[in-house]
Amino acid sequence: MDWKRVCTLDEIPVLGSRVVRGTKHGDIAIFRTSDDEVFALHDKCPHKGGPLSQGIVHGKTVTCPLHSWKIGLDSGEAVAPDVGCTRPFAAKLEDGVVWLNA
């Protein structure tokens, strides 16, 4: 795996996100949960391409700001009854530093 340092955990708000721009996969949103877990998803909702980084994080889900689709942070899958998926990426937290493999 090709891990790249993104930022420190403190640079991502609790229940918020940070965007890594200009990757070969497009913009990637890094999310932080209330338990300080980190997840990475392509920053586009599978419904109409809304910026998931501007959504609301709750549990291990983010709600798209455009049409309220709920997307699983660990899988990128839309929560039923909606159907679709955005690409997940590997992210990890080590010693307070967030790493991304994309």
Side-chain angles (χ1 to χ4, degrees), residues 28-55:
I28 297 174
I30 311 289
F31 298 94
R32 177 180 177 183
T33 69
S34 62
D35 295 330
D36 290 338
E37 290 183 275
V38 292
F39 297 92
L41 296 175
H42 187 219
D43 193 20
K44 284 192 172 188
C45 179
H47 177 223
K48 299 253 180 178
L52 293 175
S53 59
Q54 295 178 26

Side-chain angles (χ1 to χ4, degrees), residues 31-87:
F31 298 94
R32 177 180 177 183
T33 69
S34 62
D35 295 330
D36 290 338
E37 290 183 275
V38 292
F39 297 92
L41 296 175
H42 187 219
D43 193 20
K44 284 192 172 188
C45 179
H47 177 223
K48 299 253 180 178
L52 293 175
S53 59
Q54 295 178 26
I56 297 170
V57 175
H58 43 96
K60 291 184 180 179
T61 305
V62 60
T63 298
C64 179
L66 294 185
H67 301 97
S68 299
W69 275 38
K70 294 172 183 57
I71 309 297
L73 293 175
D74 53 351
S75 66
E77 295 281 340
V79 175
D82 298 318
V83 177
C85 182
T86 193
R87 184 173 178 183

